[in-house]
């Protein structure tokens, strides 16, 4: 398989699985993962960046494979002590995980950008792939629900995605700029693929696309842009994607996701269960997309890169 830079746009759990596969099949330093930071928030005085941390932990082999967020072999002394004191416990911060939020908050307070902090953390964790926030400026995803507008983590964790969703907004996006390493990745002459990971298109990928310049970068880059469906046979592998789509009046299907990305992508990868889907002007390819073990992740990563390679070849 040819070398060159690969860009992956990713949210948390679902995206991080493919990001790990891409990381493992790419040359050291050749993968740039642009992470959603719309889920970031300040909690207990700390700057929490859940999707960045899920990527850091996953690529460093420190992730909790059961929960999908936080660290494996975690202890919870801090949360128990906080509960005893009557503190806020709806958002669980494990003892080990707490360290990353404390360190990030300290460095941001000392004047480093979120990009610099994230790069420092991934180096310390021995990760060769680049992990880049979509922007160094704050962008906050907010969810319009039957309970009113909710901050993302209040909707997602505190209210367990139960409220009915009627819309989304990305506060601050208009004034945000792409992070410098994201700009650099798109300008890399060796760029061979841009991959929209199987994250929630509305909650995790749209905030990234809302950063000014991001859609233009995708439209203008010479490399193929490929999305992987997070929906398999009408169901989300994990999380509220299908429920949310239904609430937004959309049919929860791979076809709906493909149409959501129409005009932005060159190819769409769907699961075998959805084989047969056809949309004029879009290359649609089917393969097993459920990523249980490491083998599945690497296999899907290789498959997506092979699709990119085939698309990049001049057609005669
Ligand atoms: N998700 C939960 O469902 N409950 C939690 O208490 C929780 C804590 C948490 C702490 C740190 C972190 O990095 C992530 C955490 N998440 C938790 C996951 C996270 O809120 C979401 O999965 C993402 O924001 C969606 O991608």
């Amino acid at each position: 398989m040819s070398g060159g830079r690969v860009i992956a746009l990713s949210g948390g759990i679902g995206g991080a699985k493919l990001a790990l596969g891409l990381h493992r099949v790419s040359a050291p330093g050749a993968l740039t993962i642009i992470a959603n930071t719309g889920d970031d928030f300040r909690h207990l005085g700390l700057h929490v960046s859940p999707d960045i941390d899920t990527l850091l932990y996953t690529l460093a082999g420190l992730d909790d494979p059961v929960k999908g967020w936080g660290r494996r072999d975690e202890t919870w002394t801090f949360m128990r002590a906080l509960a005893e004191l009557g503190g806020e416990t709806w958002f669980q911060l494990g003892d080990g995980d707490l360290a990353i939020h404390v360190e990030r908050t300290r460095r941001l307070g000392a004047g480093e950008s979120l990009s610099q902090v994230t790069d420092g953390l991934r180096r310390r964790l021995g990760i060769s792939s680049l992990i880049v926030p979509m922007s160094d400026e704050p962008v906050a995803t907010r969810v319009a629900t039957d309970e009113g507008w909710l901050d993302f983590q209040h909707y997602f964790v505190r209210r367990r995605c139960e409220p009915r969703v009627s819309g989304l907004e990305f506060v601050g996006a208009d004034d945000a700029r792409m992070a410098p390493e994201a700009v650099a990745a798109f300008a890399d002459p060796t760029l061979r693929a841009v991959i929209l990971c199987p994250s929630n298109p509305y909650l995790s990928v749209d905030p990234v696309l809302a950063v000014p310049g991001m859609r233009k970068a995708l439209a203008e880059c010479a490399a193929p842009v490929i999305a992987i469906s997070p929906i398999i046979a009408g169901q989300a592998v994990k999380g509220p994607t299908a429920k949310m789509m239904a609430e937004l009046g959309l049919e929860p299907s791979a076809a709906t996701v493909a149409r959501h990305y129409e005009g932005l992508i060159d190819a769409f990868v769907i699961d075998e269960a959805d084989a047969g889907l056809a949309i004029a002007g879009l290359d649609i390819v089917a393969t097993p997309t459920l990523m249980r073990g490491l083998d599945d992740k690497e296999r899907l990563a290789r498959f997506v890169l092979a699709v990119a390679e085939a698309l990049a070849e001049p057609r005669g």
Side-chain angles (χ1 to χ4, degrees), residues 34-58:
I34 303 177
N36 169 40
T37 55
D39 299 6
D40 288 23
F41 75 133
R42 228 179 153 80
H43 186 61
L44 307 178
L46 301 171
H47 183 113
V48 182
S49 295
D51 288 357
I52 288 178
D53 291 349
T54 297
L55 287 162
L56 286 169
Y57 293 151
T58 302

Side-chain angles (χ1 to χ4, degrees), residues 98-127:
L98 199 51
I100 210 163
H101 313 304
V102 170
E103 183 57 9
R104 174 181 293 115
T105 307
R106 181 189 73 75
R107 292 195 198 178
L108 288 172
E112 285 185 46
S113 67
L114 186 58
S115 293
Q116 289 169 327
V117 176
T118 307
D119 200 55
L121 294 170
R122 70 106 192 148
R123 281 170 194 269
R124 288 293 303 194
L125 293 175
I127 301 167

Side-chain angles (χ1 to χ4, degrees), residues 11-13 36 39 48-51 53-54 57 69-70 89-94 97 101 152-153 156-157 204:
I13 303 167
N36 169 40
D39 299 6
V48 182
S49 295
D51 288 357
D53 291 349
T54 297
Y57 293 151
W69 51 267
T89 55
W90 60 271
F91 195 79
Q92 300 277 304
L93 296 177
D97 185 37
H101 313 304
F152 177 80
Q153 298 295 349
F156 198 90
V157 175
S204 301

